[in-house]
């Protein structure tokens, strides 16, 4: 385990491209993703047989296409995510399953899609087994098990234990095997995902729980999925995960299962945050600077409609300043509160869980300079909204020295698309 280098407080470029130039070309706010970072994170996980990207972390088609080219498969948690995977070039069927639908329910649309296209289903509730079995008997399925414990960076991202709605309760496994039998469904794999942004200690406990459940199912098991949840450092004093040690735990566990069952067991990992968080930057422009008694505010043109993690979880994002003009100046620091443009007092990027406003040491900057919210690639754009009638922003992929627009900023027409004024006479 190693701690990370301090994050830079001043930047002039992203992946070698000038920040003021990027701002001029694409406008602000905008999300930028450095493809090199995504590719490095994929490379970190190559020991696992299958890397399955949990696309809900950042599901732009261009990002799905990028990871697909690297042989990374994909997880879908909704009908829309299945459609995205298909649109990005994933095939419905194959081995290992290119797309896996993992959820706790089927809405009607998702059930129709998985039946029609033959998409593999990872069932997170006993009901799903019956619903799939009635429409598509004879299929292979995997089960998402709630091992009875969980852990996340926030209570809201803990996906195990009795207060979680996720997965099949571990003590109901026998009942679920009977249900599967009734429909001729074969349980070929198990999956556990105990939370997002957890730590290695908690993740490691999953191996033992997985082994116990796999033994209970028996020889039909061919794959085990370690789920996602790998943390990334958001502050310089947080450390990176020891992936080699984590892999070793899972590898030993699957070898014991392979010995027991007499056939190889494929090992999957299902990261979302880990692959994309560090690649992403939300570029904003400082539009006003004002003082409220002892608090100095940098007000930028992005708000929680663009990046919701701080208001949702009190999440910390590293921040840096990019000067609008490239004149050398001395870096003086000051304590500031960073907020956005929305008409809601919670629209503050420097807040802790519970909504407590805090200050951040940042370089002295002026209106017109840029502020980057960093490590914003995961659960950033995808959680954005049109609140306050703000358009969804552009997304740009920085790849091999070039900036590619991968999503256009919304226009006013996009904003009101689908809205109808009825003839009220
Ligand atoms: C969200 C999710 C993941 C990814 O979680 P991260 O913490 O982003 O790695 C993996 N699997 C499932 C089923 C998920 O819902």
């Amino acid at each position: 385990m190693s701690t990370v280098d301090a994050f830079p407080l001043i930047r002039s470029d992203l992946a070698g491209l000038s920040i003021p130039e990027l701002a001029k070309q694409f406008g602000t706010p905008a999300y930028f993703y450095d493809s090199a970072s995504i590719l490095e994170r994929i490379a970190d996980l190559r020991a696992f047989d299958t890397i399955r990207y949990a696309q809900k972390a950042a599901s732009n088609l261009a990002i799905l296409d990028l990871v697909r080219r690297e042989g990374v498969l994909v997880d879908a948690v909704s009908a829309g995510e299945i459609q995205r995977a298909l649109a990005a070039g994933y095939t419905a069927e194959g081995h290992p399953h290119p797309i896996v639908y993992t959820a706790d329910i089927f809405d009607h649309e998702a059930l129709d899609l998985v039946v029609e296209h033959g998409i593999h289903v990872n069932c997170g509730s006993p009901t799903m087994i019956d619903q799939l079995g009635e429409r598509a008997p004879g299929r292979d399925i995997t089960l998402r098990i709630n091992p009875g414990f969980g852990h996340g960076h926030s209570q809201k991202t803990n996906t195990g234990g009795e207060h979680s709605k996720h997965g099949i309760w571990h003590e109901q496994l026998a009942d679920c095997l009977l249900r599967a039998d009734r429909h001729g469904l074969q349980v070929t794999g198990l999956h556990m995902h105990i939370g997002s942004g957890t730590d290695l200690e908690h993740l490691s406990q999953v191996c033992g729980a997985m082994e116990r459940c796999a033994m209970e199912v028996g020889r039909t098991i061919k794959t085990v999925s370690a789920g996602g949840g790998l943390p990334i450092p958001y502050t310089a004093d947080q450390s990176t995960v020891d992936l080699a040690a984590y892999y070793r735990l899972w590898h030993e566990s699957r070898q014991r299962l392979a010995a027991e069952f007499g056939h190889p067991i494929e090992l999957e990992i299902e990261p979302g945050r880990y692959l994309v968080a560090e690649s992403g930057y939300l570029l904003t422009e400082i539009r006003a600077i004002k003082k409220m008694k002892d608090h100095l505010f940098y007000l930028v043109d992005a708000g929680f409609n663009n990046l919701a993690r701080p208001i949702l979880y009190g999440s910390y994002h590293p921040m840096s300043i990019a000067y609008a003009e490239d004149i050398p100046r001395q870096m003086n620091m000051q304590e500031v509160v960073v907020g956005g443009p929305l008409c809601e007092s919670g629209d503050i990027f420097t807040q802790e869980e519970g909504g407590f406003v805090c200050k951040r040491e940042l370089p002295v900057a002026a209106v017109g300079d840029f502020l980057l919210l960093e490590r914003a690639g995961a659960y950033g754009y995808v959680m954005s909204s049109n609140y306050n009638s703000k358009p969804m922003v552009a997304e740009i992929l920085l790849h091999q020295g070039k900036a590619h627009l991968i999503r256009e900023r919304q226009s006013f027409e996009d904003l009101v698309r689908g809205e109808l004024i009825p003839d009220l006479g």
Side-chain angles (χ1 to χ4, degrees):
M1 236 185 274
S2 58
T3 51
V4 292
D5 297 335
F7 300 123
L9 290 164
I10 302 259
R11 286 188 188 270
S12 57
D13 72 282
L14 285 182
L17 298 167
S18 146
I19 290 170
E21 289 295 318
L22 289 171
K24 203 188 301 170
Q25 189 179 352
F26 298 104
T28 61
Y31 270 96
F32 292 85
Y33 305 91
D34 180 358
S35 70
S37 162
I38 299 175
L39 301 182
E40 279 169 31
R41 297 291 80 81
I42 291 172
D44 293 345
L45 298 173
R46 288 285 185 207
F48 291 83
D49 301 325
T50 300
I51 306 171
R52 186 175 298 287
Y53 175 45
Q55 64 169 295
K56 73 173 191 281
S59 55
N60 185 293
L61 293 178
I63 292 176
L64 297 184
D65 175 67
L66 178 79
V67 304
R68 183 184 58 75
R69 288 162 185 273
E70 294 298 308
V72 172
L73 305 181
V74 74
D75 180 57
V77 298
S78 67
E81 287 195 355
I82 293 173
Q83 303 271 31
R84 278 185 178 280
L86 294 170
Y90 284 97
T91 54
E93 294 179 73
H95 180 87
H97 308 292
I99 306 171
V100 169
Y101 175 77
T102 296
D104 302 296
I105 67 154
F106 282 121
D107 55 27
H108 296 287
E109 205 183 349
L111 184 54
D112 289 347
L113 259 182
V114 302
V115 168
E116 200 178 302
H117 290 274
I119 305 278
H120 181 81
V121 178
N122 182 30
C123 299
S125 61
T127 317
M128 283 178 73
I129 302 173
D130 294 330
Q131 287 165 333
L132 183 69
E134 278 158 24
R135 294 274 301 272
R139 284 229 199 146
D140 289 351
I141 55 168
T142 47
L143 302 181
R144 175 180 182 169
I145 306 295
N146 177 340
F149 59 88
H151 189 252
H153 67 75
S154 151
Q155 214 24 55
K156 293 170 190 156
T157 66
N158 177 342
T159 61
E162 63 182 309
H163 297 294
S164 166
K165 65 175 180 152
H166 293 289
I168 290 167
W169 188 247
H170 59 112
E171 289 165 336
Q172 278 178 26
L173 188 48
D175 167 64
C176 287
L177 294 176
L178 287 176
R179 279 172 197 253
D181 258 1
R182 232 176 279 141
H183 301 289
L185 298 170
Q186 175 121 252
V187 177
T188 57
L190 293 181
H191 167 277
M192 289 181 187
H193 172 69
I194 61 159
S196 193
T198 175
D199 55 52
L200 217 50
E201 243 173 79
H202 287 90
L203 284 172
S204 304
Q205 295 169 9
V206 178
C207 285
M210 176 67 88
E211 266 181 68
R212 284 191 294 279
C213 289
M215 292 295 187
E216 193 177 337
V217 179
R219 292 194 67 250
T220 59
I221 296 291
K222 299 195 181 73
T223 66
V224 295
S225 171
L230 293 175
I232 65 116
Y234 285 98
T235 63
D237 58 6
Q238 290 172 344
S239 48
T240 53
V241 251
D242 186 347
L243 288 171
Y246 187 52
Y247 173 76
R248 220 176 305 120
L249 278 174
W250 276 105
H251 179 60
E252 286 165 6
S253 179
R254 68 98 166 253
Q255 278 183 318
R256 283 190 290 272
L257 291 173
E260 180 75 17
F261 298 152
H263 57 240
I265 298 293
E266 284 175 38
L267 185 55
E268 289 201 9
I269 190 158
E270 200 173 65
R273 179 190 316 278
Y274 187 78
L275 294 192
V276 292
E278 289 161 90
S279 78
Y281 300 83
L282 174 57
L283 176 61
T284 75
E285 185 182 322
I286 300 176
R287 296 300 305 151
I289 296 178
K290 64 177 173 180
K291 201 155 184 198
M292 304 279 186
K293 206 171 175 211
D294 294 333
H295 291 73
L296 184 67
F297 285 77
Y298 284 178
L299 296 184
V300 301
D301 56 5
F304 72 72
N305 58 311
N306 304 114
L307 177 64
R309 296 188 71 251
I311 195 172
L312 277 179
Y313 316 118
S315 298
Y316 181 101
H317 282 274
M319 293 180 197
S320 60
I321 297 292
Y323 297 124
E325 279 160 72
D326 201 8
I327 3 174
R329 36 191 142 173
Q330 213 174 346
M331 184 170 80
N332 291 314
M333 303 294 289
Q334 60 189 0
E335 287 201 315
V336 296
V337 176
V338 179
L342 303 180
C343 285
E344 179 162 338
S345 47
D347 188 25
I348 294 290
F349 288 117
T350 46
Q351 63 177 294
E352 287 167 359
E353 196 154 13
F356 300 102
V357 171
C358 43
K359 293 180 184 174
R360 181 83 62 97
E361 280 264 300
L362 283 177
V364 171
V367 170
D369 286 335
F370 303 103
L371 185 146
L372 292 126
L373 289 145
E374 306 201 353
R375 309 211 152 197
Y379 308 107
Y381 181 90
V382 289
M383 291 184 123
S384 59
S385 77
N386 286 127
Y387 188 44
N388 278 206
S389 288
K390 291 285 192 180
M392 306 282 251
V393 301
E395 291 184 289
I396 297 101
L397 184 69
L398 306 173
H399 184 65
Q400 296 179 349
K402 283 212 186 84
H404 302 269
L405 183 65
I406 59 172
R407 180 194 302 270
E408 292 173 352
R409 178 192 175 79
Q410 277 186 331
S411 63
F412 174 70
E413 287 67 37
D414 295 328
L415 198 62
V416 293
R417 177 158 301 139
E419 290 183 36
L420 302 167
I421 301 179
D423 182 359
L424 299 178

